[in-house]
Amino acid sequence: MARATAAAGLVAGREAIAWAERQMPVLRKVGDRLEEGERLRDQRVGVCLHVTAETGALVRALTRGGAEVDLVPSNPLSVHAEVATALAAEPSVTVHLAEGTPASHERALAAVAERAPGIVVDDGADLARVLHATGHAATVAGAMEGTTTGVLRLRSLAERGDLRYPVLAVNDTPIRHLFDNRLGTGQSVLDGLLRTTNILLAGSRVAIFGYGACGRGIALRAHGLGATTTVCEVDPIRALEARMDGHDVVPGLEAAAKADVIITATGAIDVLGPEHFAVLRDGAVLANAGHFDVEIDVRALAASASARRTVRPLVEEFDVGDRSVVLVAGGRVINLAAADGHPAGVMDLLFAGQAVAAAWLAEHADGLGNEVHRVPDAIDADLARLALEAQGVRIDELSDHQRRYITSWAPMADAATAPPGSFDR
Ligand code: NAI
């Protein structure tokens, strides 16, 4: 019976990874290239990521390039067990699972460190912390970090002179901001809102607090569904950008008094507090897409309410005076708590970037200092080109004549009319 269950898990895991791979054409293409050039032959890669089908697709791309992979979950509570089972059955992969306690998670991270990885794919600098604490950082040629928090931590380690290997900040690339924060968050936040509440957005007023990459994506998609969008900001440049993009821009209290839906995406604390709750319209819906569960002051909302009840899964209603206020997912990050997170099509670009960066590190890490480095622009451009190709989109190229003109120091008129070759250095 147990064997039958394990076999079913293996099949389900392989199917889940295959489904993700079908929606990840850029990663597939990168996997082909890594395999052709055996770009990761003899490399041991330590990977700390959420164990999902998309991560499974990344791990398979790395092994196709010749790598031996040690995988440890970045969050033991979010492991897709069938994916872990399928990956553990791959010949070049070892999965280090924890039993759910923090101590067991630390042991799993330490087990990866002890395997002495040459390349590290990190998430929140968890592997970096353990590699440095256990003296195994010396064997690492280079690493990639995919979160803002991880990049900040590693930068401060580097500033103290204690970082023991070079790190590529894959979190900071333009492609990541476009695909992860803007496209991924934009779509999945609205998905979470609609799944939980099933409200009609067309004709409603949606206020977005924060106009960073996340806020821009949410505002764009809400507008696309027919909502009237209002943006609240504290940064004048972002506020101006929102205004020029066609959104109303007003102070938070004014927006709160008129909005049918308010979504926070700021990274700050208590962005919606008692003063906002006091002016909300009857039935206003509140959701957070930003940082943990601190952007909406849920404790103050509960304190100001005479009653609180669950009206649908993940939807609570608070009686505040003679009005009701609706809170989605308890103020936790809505697309993670109430939707499936980013679609595989978004993870495609991010993980293809990780796979290309791993091969790049295998070839270039020796020349890099022990600092946090930008990912070379050429990698991003290459990924964008592959993504366009996957969609059958072609673009133009500069002619030699045009390239000479824009790189020449000659007076404009001369550069434009000079015969080819005149300004070549
Ligand atoms: P960002 O820093 O580019 O943008 C945040 C914006 O909020 C800034 O323009 C800032 O001026 C503004 N802001 C800060 N405090 C404010 C306040 N009290 N009122 C109004 N505006 C305020 O950050 P980004 O990339 O847009 O991310 C925003 C948050 O979303 C972060 O906490 C980030 O960790 C989180 N995030 C969530 C994702 C998800 O899947 N839900 C994905 C990526 C990031």
Side-chain angles (χ1 to χ4, degrees), residues 148-149 171 176-177 180-182 184-186 188-189 208-216 218 231-239 252 264-272 288-292 295 333-336 341-342:
T148 307
T149 315
N171 177 67
R176 181 165 192 122
H177 282 138
D180 180 348
N181 297 27
R182 188 157 159 186
T185 311
S188 57
V189 163
I208 298 103
F209 281 58
Y211 202 64
C214 291
R216 278 201 293 275
I218 297 164
V231 167
C232 307
E233 252 297 343
V234 292
D235 177 327
I237 300 175
R238 293 272 170 88
T264 52
T266 67
I269 191 167
D270 296 342
V271 178
L272 291 182
N288 169 41
H291 192 54
F292 298 121
E295 299 211 9
V333 178
I334 183 170
N335 55 334
L336 301 182
H342 293 337

Side-chain angles (χ1 to χ4, degrees), residues 26-330:
V26 182
L27 181 62
R28 279 203 313 271
K29 186 86 193 158
V30 169
D32 292 345
R33 279 191 190 170
L34 297 187
E35 187 171 359
E36 273 161 32
E38 297 186 346
R39 303 267 305 276
L40 291 168
R41 193 164 49 144
D42 301 330
Q43 293 289 342
R44 182 168 283 284
V45 183
V47 177
C48 178
L49 287 172
H50 289 279
V51 178
T52 61
E54 292 79 21
T55 295
L58 169 62
V59 167
R60 277 171 43 91
L62 296 172
T63 57
R64 284 179 68 199
E68 291 281 326
V69 174
D70 287 288
L71 173 67
V72 58
S74 56
N75 179 351
L77 301 177
S78 68
V79 172
H80 292 216
E82 72 287 0
V83 171
T85 305
L87 288 174
E90 296 266 323
S92 307
V93 183
T94 308
V95 182
H96 302 262
L97 285 184
E99 286 114 41
T101 62
S104 141
H105 184 46
E106 286 300 300
R107 279 197 296 278
L109 289 164
V112 175
E114 270 154 31
R115 307 268 282 183
I119 295 176
V120 168
V121 180
D122 216 343
D123 189 71
D126 272 349
L127 267 179
R129 178 174 53 74
V130 174
L131 283 159
H132 281 77
T134 56
H136 287 95
T139 59
V140 178
M144 286 158 276
E145 172 54 50
T147 68
T148 307
T149 315
V151 168
L152 290 174
R153 284 182 188 159
L154 291 165
R155 281 219 173 94
S156 81
L157 198 65
E159 274 160 23
R160 296 205 309 264
D162 291 334
L163 182 61
R164 293 280 165 263
Y165 49 74
V167 175
L168 285 184
V170 288
N171 177 67
D172 295 349
T173 63
I175 278 219
R176 181 165 192 122
H177 282 138
L178 173 62
F179 273 79
D180 180 348
N181 297 27
R182 188 157 159 186
L183 300 180
T185 311
Q187 173 168 313
S188 57
V189 163
L190 290 184
D191 179 13
L193 180 71
L194 298 179
R195 272 192 212 192
T196 46
T197 62
N198 199 24
I199 53 174
L200 178 66
L201 274 188
S204 70
R205 284 176 192 273
V206 177
I208 298 103
F209 281 58
Y211 202 64
C214 291
R216 278 201 293 275
I218 297 164
L220 180 72
R221 298 305 177 211
H223 191 68
L225 284 168
T228 301
T229 39
T230 302
V231 167
C232 307
E233 252 297 343
V234 292
D235 177 327
I237 300 175
R238 293 272 170 88
L240 180 62
E241 190 182 354
R243 174 78 187 161
M244 296 327 229
D245 284 347
H247 308 293
D248 277 344
V249 176
V250 299
L253 277 178
E254 263 177 55
K258 290 188 183 154
D260 300 303
V261 178
I262 305 180
I263 303 172
T264 52
T266 67
I269 191 167
D270 296 342
V271 178
L272 291 182
E275 64 281 23
H276 301 91
F277 307 143
V279 299
L280 290 175
R281 299 178 56 168
D282 185 33
V285 176
L286 312 183
N288 169 41
H291 192 54
F292 298 121
D293 57 357
V294 300
E295 299 211 9
I296 302 172
D297 186 351
V298 177
R299 201 176 296 174
L301 178 60
S304 65
S306 56
R308 170 182 187 169
R309 59 197 160 270
T310 299
V311 288
R312 291 164 66 93
L314 291 170
V315 181
E316 287 175 286
E317 194 171 35
F318 294 76
D319 292 334
V320 179
D322 58 352
R323 294 155 304 130
S324 87
V325 175
V326 176
L327 178 70
V328 182

